[in-house]
Amino acid sequence: MRIGSILRQASAEALATTGILAGVTLAPYSPILAGLAVVPALGWSSWQQRSQLLKSPLNQALLALSGLLLLSALVGTSGSLRWLGLANFLPFFWLLAVAPALLLKPSVLRSLLWILAIGSIPVCCIGYLQLYANLGFSLKLGIIHWVVDAGGRASGRMDAFFGYPNWLAAYLLMPWTAALGFWGESLSQRRWRRWLGLSLLLSLLGGCLLLTDSRNAWIVAGAIALVLALYEGLKWLVWGGIGYAIAILWAAFGPTGRVRLRQWIPAFFWARFSGDKFADIPRSPAESRLHQWQFAWQMTEARPWLGWGSHSFTQQYETATQVWLGHPHNLVLMFSAEFGLPATLLFLGILGSILGRALWIFLRWSVQAPSDRQDQRLLLTLLLACLGCAIFNTADVTVFDVRNNLLSWIVLAALQAATTTFATQRSPGLRAQSA
C-alpha cells in the first residue's frame, strides 16, 4: 500500500514538473497555453508543500512583499490599473515560492535549458523571414495572438511576433545563454557533432539579437559570452571580444581617431551606439531615458513609502510631458515610484539573496569529478541567464510582456532550485554549512 502511494506521488510530481517544462516550451508562442500548463503544476506543488511553505525565509519575504504591493494599491492614484497591474507581479511571486520544489533535479534543469535553446528556433526563423522575405501576417485565434509586420517594426528592427524589438531581444538572451552553456560543455567534452549544431544555433540567435538593434541586448549578450568563454579557458576569445568592443565604442565616442576607425568598424555597430543610425527620427527630450529616470525618482521622492500605485508612472508622465510611455525604462525606478522604497528594497533583497547565494556556491565549488564540472557549468548558466535579465531591466522593463515575465521567473525559480540542490549535494565545503 505504501509503495503504491509513493509511486502515485512520484507520478504526480513528474506530471507537475512536465507542466513547468511545457510552460517553458509554450510561453514564447502562446502565454495562455503556457499558463494552462503551469498553473495546475503550481497548484499541486502548493498543496504538497502546504505545511512548509511559510517556514521558508524566501516565502516569508515574498508574502511581505505581496502585502506591501497590496497596501500600495489601496492608496494608489491610478484607478483600476493600480489593482490590475499587480497581475504582473503577484502570480509570479507564487511561482517563485512553489516552483523550485519541482525543479530540484539537475536533469530537469538541463531539460529546461535545452527547451529554452531549441525552442527559440521557430522564433528566429519567423524573425528572419520577417526581414528578408518581407513576411507579414496576423494570427488571432484566442489562445494564440501573433502579429508579424513585414519588414520589421520600428525602422526595420526585427521583432518576429513579439510586438516590440526590445521584447524579442530580452527573450533571445535566455536561449542565447542556454546555448552558450551547452556549447562550452560540448567543447570541453569534445562532442564535436553537438558542438557544431550548437554553433549553428548560436549563429542563428546572434544574428537575431543583432537585428533587433537593441544596444542593451548587445551589451548583455556580449558580456555573457565573455564570462562563459573565460570559464572555459578561451582567453583568446575573451581578449578578442574585449578588444573589438573597445574598438566599437571608440568609433562611436572616441575623442580622437574616430574617423579613421570608422573605416574599419561596420557602421551597423558604431552608428547604433552613437545614435547616428536613427538620427533622422525626431525625438523630444521627454523620450530620453535620463529624463524618464529623473521623473521616476521625483515620483519616489514625493511618495517614498507606498508609491503612487501600479501603472501610475504612465499617467503622471503623460500629464507632465504630453508624451505617453508605458514605463520609465528601468524596473527598479518604476518599482520605487509605483510601490515605494520599502517594497523596492525588499524586492531587491529577494533577488539579491538568490543571485548572491548562487554566486557564493559557484565560487566555493569543489570540482572533484567531471559531473561536478558539468553541474557547476549548469549553475553558472542559470546564474548568467538571471543576471542577464536583471541587467536588461536596468534600461528597459519586460514585466509587461507575459512571455518574458513568465520565462524569467521560471528561470529564477530554476536558479533557486539549483542552489538548493548543489549546496547540499555537490560542494563538500557547503554541505557542512547547510546541515
Side-chain angles (χ1 to χ4, degrees):
M1 191 69 181
R2 188 174 179 181
I3 294 177
S5 177
I6 292 173
L7 289 174
R8 285 194 297 272
Q9 173 78 9
S11 178
E13 182 176 347
L15 187 62
T17 300
T18 301
I20 299 294
L21 296 180
V24 175
T25 305
L26 295 168
Y29 305 99
S30 173
I32 295 175
L33 288 177
L36 291 174
V38 169
V39 169
L42 298 182
W44 183 87
S45 184
S46 300
W47 177 254
Q48 293 300 119
Q49 302 177 67
R50 61 190 181 278
S51 61
Q52 302 293 324
L53 272 178
L54 292 182
K55 296 180 181 179
S56 162
L58 172 64
N59 294 350
Q60 291 170 2
L62 288 169
L63 184 62
L65 180 57
S66 301
L68 287 173
L69 265 59
L70 289 169
L71 285 174
S72 175
L74 283 173
V75 301
T77 63
S78 49
S80 61
L81 289 176
R82 70 187 193 271
W83 296 104
L84 294 174
L86 297 182
N88 294 313
F89 296 100
L90 297 186
F92 302 99
F93 296 168
W94 175 41
L95 186 154
L96 182 58
V98 302
L102 301 173
L103 304 171
L104 293 171
K105 297 178 181 178
S107 60
V108 172
L109 295 172
R110 288 176 62 83
S111 296
L112 188 151
L113 290 174
W114 274 116
I115 290 170
L116 275 175
I118 297 174
S120 66
I121 294 175
V123 177
C124 292
C125 291
I126 291 173
Y128 281 115
L129 289 172
Q130 175 189 36
L131 292 188
Y132 297 112
N134 211 35
L135 176 69
F137 64 88
S138 177
L139 183 63
K140 300 179 181 179
L141 302 176
I143 58 174
I144 297 177
H145 186 98
W146 293 3
V147 177
V148 178
D149 291 328
R153 184 172 295 197
S155 303
R157 297 171 63 186
M158 181 189 290
D159 74 325
F161 47 80
F162 274 66
Y164 185 47
N166 285 5
W167 284 351
L168 174 62
Y171 160 71
L172 290 173
L173 286 173
M174 288 180 272
W176 167 260
T177 308
L180 274 172
F182 288 126
W183 182 87
E185 179 184 273
S186 301
L187 182 65
S188 66
Q189 295 176 353
R190 300 183 182 277
R191 300 177 66 174
W192 301 118
R193 188 171 297 178
R194 196 177 78 171
W195 177 84
L196 179 59
L198 286 163
S199 298
L200 294 174
L201 176 57
L202 286 169
S203 299
L204 193 73
L205 288 164
C208 286
L209 279 165
L210 290 175
L211 292 170
T212 63
D213 259 325
S214 171
R215 293 166 293 186
N216 193 7
W218 292 357
I219 293 170
V220 174
I224 289 171
L226 290 177
V227 170
L228 283 169
L230 184 63
Y231 176 79
E232 299 297 343
L234 304 174
K235 294 182 180 179
W236 62 270
L237 189 58
V238 174
W239 289 114
I242 292 174
Y244 196 68
I246 292 173
I248 291 172
L249 294 176
W250 194 271
F253 308 110
T256 60
R258 188 168 52 185
V259 175
R260 178 173 295 181
L261 197 57
R262 286 180 177 183
Q263 296 174 359
W264 298 95
I265 304 296
F268 179 85
F269 295 110
W270 63 258
R272 183 68 180 108
F273 280 103
S274 68
D276 292 354
K277 187 170 186 177
F278 299 121
D280 58 331
I281 299 177
R283 296 181 183 277
S284 70
E287 293 180 272
S288 74
R289 279 174 167 78
L290 183 59
H291 191 277
Q292 297 161 31
W293 296 343
Q294 290 172 340
F295 190 87
W297 182 246
Q298 289 169 5
M299 289 177 63
T300 303
E301 290 179 320
R303 299 184 68 165
W305 295 107
L306 292 173
W308 296 77
S310 183
H311 287 286
S312 58
F313 172 83
T314 299
Q315 295 182 354
Q316 297 282 339
Y317 200 73
E318 187 173 17
T319 300
T321 66
Q322 309 306 310
V323 173
W324 187 94
L325 284 173
H327 53 75
H329 289 83
N330 182 289
L331 179 59
V332 174
L333 288 174
M334 186 190 80
F335 213 90
S336 66
E338 297 187 345
F339 301 121
L341 285 174
T344 303
L345 292 174
L346 183 55
F347 178 64
L348 291 175
I350 291 169
L351 297 181
S353 68
I354 297 173
L355 297 172
R357 185 167 181 249
L359 180 60
W360 184 67
I361 292 171
F362 172 78
L363 293 175
R364 292 173 60 88
W365 198 289
S366 177
V367 178
Q368 299 177 345
S371 61
D372 287 338
R373 180 75 170 179
Q374 180 172 293
D375 287 343
Q376 186 188 39
R377 184 184 288 106
L378 176 60
L379 178 64
L380 177 61
T381 303
L382 287 167
L383 176 59
L384 289 174
C386 291
L387 282 172
C389 180
I391 295 171
F392 190 90
N393 275 271
T394 62
D396 215 316
V397 176
T398 61
V399 298
F400 300 117
D401 178 58
V402 181
R403 293 159 293 207
N404 273 299
N405 209 16
L406 177 59
L407 286 172
S408 59
W409 283 99
I410 289 177
V411 173
L412 184 63
L415 180 64
Q416 171 66 7
T419 59
T420 302
T421 297
F422 296 144
T424 56
Q425 291 184 6
R426 297 296 182 186
S427 183
L430 293 167
R431 184 159 48 236
Q433 297 178 29
S434 300

